[in-house]
């Protein structure tokens, strides 16, 4: 079974915008369930470029700054903390920060087009801050919305002036469209919203929290289905070996490194319906904890709060994590109310 995407992309299609050129094209946004309008797509893309952070990056984020020349012309710099990258084994070893993203974003609302000037390369996850510069763009990314039906067209012009529209670009664009379209559809279908806020369980600490859920589900049904959904997600990991006990699920994932040596990562889910707590721990091949993710289901009001503790002991509960938990919680509610579970 192939990977499922929010909307299908087609590489090397004839460009409606630049006759004689090729682009990556989406399938019709009108045919999605629910449909996505051009205005929604454009607005969500702009929001994404102003906060292009996923849950993994939130754990090592140092700063995300937006500098506006105008509402439709702004520059975004995302810097990852070098010391934290070093602790995960992905840094230079001397605490140097990494410029994960640095781009100028220009929006033409009349034409429904977004152009970004990238100053560090996306395929290499940016550049070290002491090597990054905005003297010239390494690539210029174009997104043009089309009508009749509503579609999006993408292409990139690289540093040498070559226009890119191939399957490689389409795979990269999937990271954008899956997030943008996925967020729009999740928000449209969501019975319960999730947002960052202050913890109920740990006073003064940060968490992401649901709205009260009593209208949609009861405590026992929700907690029971939450354990099922989390277990199933772990079972879908490639090469996963699963052991299930009454209050614990252990998933061992085997993979090979570049030298052909086998590595085993372990994901452990511990859960207690009595306390409402679920703890998901990820350990690396050396048995060191990489991340611990918490879910606490409160009975009255019926609210879920969630947060992560990184390898360094930092507590994180940002906007990207909130979106992930919102999708998770609404899937659990839907399945808890379904005969087919």
């Amino acid at each position: 079974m192939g990977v499922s995407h929010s909307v299908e992309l087609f590489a090397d299609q004839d460009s409606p915008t630049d006759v004689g050129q090729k682009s990556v094209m989406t399938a019709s946004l009108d045919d999605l369930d629910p449909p996505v309008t051009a205005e929604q797509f454009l607005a969500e893309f702009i929001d994404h470029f102003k906060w292009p952070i996923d849950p993994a990056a939130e754990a090592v984020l140092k700063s995300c700054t937006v500098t506006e020349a105008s509402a439709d012309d702004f520059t975004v710099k995302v810097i990852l903390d070098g010391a934290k990258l070093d602790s995960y084994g992905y840094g230079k070893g001397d605490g140097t920060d990494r410029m994960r993203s640095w781009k100028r974003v220009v929006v033409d609302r009349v034409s429904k087009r977004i152009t970004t000037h990238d100053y560090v390369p996306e395929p290499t996850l940016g550049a070290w801050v002491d090597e990054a510069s905005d003297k010239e763009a390494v690539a210029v990314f174009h997104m043009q919305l089309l009508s009749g039906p509503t579609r999006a067209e993408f292409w990139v012009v690289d540093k040498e002036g070559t226009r890119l529209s191939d399957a490689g670009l389409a795979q990269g664009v999937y990271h954008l469209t899956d997030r943008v379209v996925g967020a729009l559809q999740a928000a449209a279908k969501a019975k319960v919203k999730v947002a960052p806020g202050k913890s109920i369980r740990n006073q003064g600490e940060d968490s992401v929290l649901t709205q009260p859920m009593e209208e949609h589900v009861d405590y026992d049904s929700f907690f029971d289905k939450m354990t099922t959904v989390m277990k199933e997600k772990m079972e879908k990991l490639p090469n996963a070996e699963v052991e299930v006990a009454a209050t614990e699920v252990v998933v061992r994932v085997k993979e090979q490194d570049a030298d052909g040596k086998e590595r085993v990562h372990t994901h452990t889910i511990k859960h207690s319906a009595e306390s409402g707590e679920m703890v998901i721990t990820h350990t690396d091949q050396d048995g060191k904890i990489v991340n611990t993710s918490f879910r606490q289901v409160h009975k009255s009001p019926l609210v879920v709060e969630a947060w992560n503790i990184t390898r360094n002991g930092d507590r994180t509960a940002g906007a990207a994590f909130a979106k992930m938990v919102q999708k998770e919680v609404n899937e659990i509610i839907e399945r808890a109310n379904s005969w087919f579970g």
Side-chain angles (χ1 to χ4, degrees):
M1 182 180 293
V3 176
S4 176
H5 294 289
S6 297
V7 63
E8 191 171 2
L9 298 177
F10 303 95
D12 290 326
Q13 302 297 297
D14 290 337
S15 170
T17 302
D18 298 323
V19 176
Q21 300 288 346
K22 300 290 185 180
S23 296
V24 172
M25 305 287 293
T26 69
S28 172
L29 302 178
D30 301 328
D31 294 337
L32 299 177
D33 182 23
V36 172
T37 68
E39 291 74 17
Q40 288 174 320
F41 194 86
L42 186 70
E44 189 68 25
F45 249 88
I46 294 169
D47 286 348
H48 166 74
F49 282 130
K50 288 186 174 181
W51 185 258
I53 314 298
D54 60 25
E58 281 183 336
V60 292
L61 181 66
K62 187 167 189 177
S63 64
C64 177
T65 58
V66 180
T67 304
E68 292 189 344
S70 71
D72 292 333
D73 186 347
F74 54 90
T75 299
V76 184
K77 295 170 72 172
V78 177
I79 298 178
L80 305 184
D81 190 297
K84 291 181 179 179
L85 289 172
D86 286 345
S87 72
Y88 281 94
Y90 295 112
K92 288 179 70 176
D94 59 3
T96 301
D97 294 334
R98 190 163 186 85
M99 187 74 71
R100 171 60 184 87
S101 179
W102 188 0
K103 61 183 68 190
R104 178 188 174 197
V105 181
V106 180
V107 182
D108 184 338
R109 295 179 189 271
V110 175
S111 300
K112 294 185 172 63
R113 176 182 288 196
I114 296 178
T115 305
T116 75
H117 304 261
D118 289 48
Y119 300 116
V120 294
E122 289 288 339
T124 60
L125 304 181
W128 302 111
V129 292
D130 54 2
E131 300 169 359
S133 169
D134 62 349
K135 289 184 178 179
E136 62 177 333
V138 298
V140 181
F141 169 88
H142 300 266
M143 188 278 288
Q144 175 68 59
L145 281 158
L146 307 167
S147 60
T150 305
R151 293 165 294 156
E153 174 183 1
F154 305 91
W155 70 96
V156 167
V157 178
D158 67 16
K159 195 173 181 179
E160 285 71 40
T162 302
R163 181 174 174 129
L164 306 177
S165 60
D166 59 5
L169 177 63
Q171 286 301 313
V173 172
Y174 268 130
H175 293 293
L176 289 171
T177 54
D178 284 347
R179 180 167 173 177
V180 167
V181 176
L184 287 168
Q185 293 197 303
K189 294 178 179 179
K191 291 182 172 67
V192 171
K193 307 293 186 184
V194 177
K198 289 302 176 183
S199 172
I200 299 172
R201 174 172 151 173
N202 307 118
Q203 189 173 3
E205 298 285 358
D206 293 328
S207 292
V208 302
L209 300 102
T210 69
Q211 298 170 317
M213 304 187 298
E214 288 91 346
E215 182 181 341
H216 309 290
V217 69
D218 64 79
Y219 175 89
D220 291 331
S221 298
F222 183 88
F223 198 92
D224 178 67
K225 194 56 63 178
M226 181 173 71
T227 61
T228 300
V229 168
M230 294 302 195
K231 178 177 74 71
E232 289 176 354
K233 285 185 177 180
M234 295 299 180
E235 289 174 338
K236 291 178 182 178
L237 294 171
N239 304 315
E241 296 179 356
V242 183
E243 297 178 12
V244 180
T247 60
E248 184 177 71
V249 179
V250 179
V251 181
R252 295 180 178 85
V253 179
K254 295 181 179 180
E255 61 181 17
Q256 288 189 335
D257 62 18
D259 298 324
K261 183 180 178 180
E262 185 177 84
R263 294 184 174 188
V264 179
H265 296 254
T266 304
H267 302 264
T268 304
I269 305 172
K270 295 184 178 181
H271 51 90
S272 168
E274 182 178 357
S275 67
E277 183 181 57
M278 174 177 284
V279 182
I280 307 163
T281 305
H282 175 203
T283 57
D284 64 17
Q285 68 276 5
D286 298 319
K288 296 179 180 178
I289 295 176
V290 175
N291 187 76
T292 307
S293 195
F294 293 82
R295 305 290 185 275
Q296 179 67 56
V297 186
H298 301 280
K299 291 186 177 180
S300 183
L302 184 54
V303 168
V304 177
E305 70 168 298
W307 67 95
N308 292 309
I309 301 295
T310 70
R311 182 196 295 255
N312 300 318
D314 297 323
R315 182 172 176 132
T316 63
F321 183 56
K323 287 185 177 181
M324 186 190 83
V325 174
Q326 178 171 297
K327 182 178 180 181
E328 171 187 296
V329 164
N330 280 279
E331 178 187 350
I332 293 166
I333 291 172
E334 182 177 351
R335 292 183 59 179
N337 287 298
S338 169
W339 286 356
F340 306 103

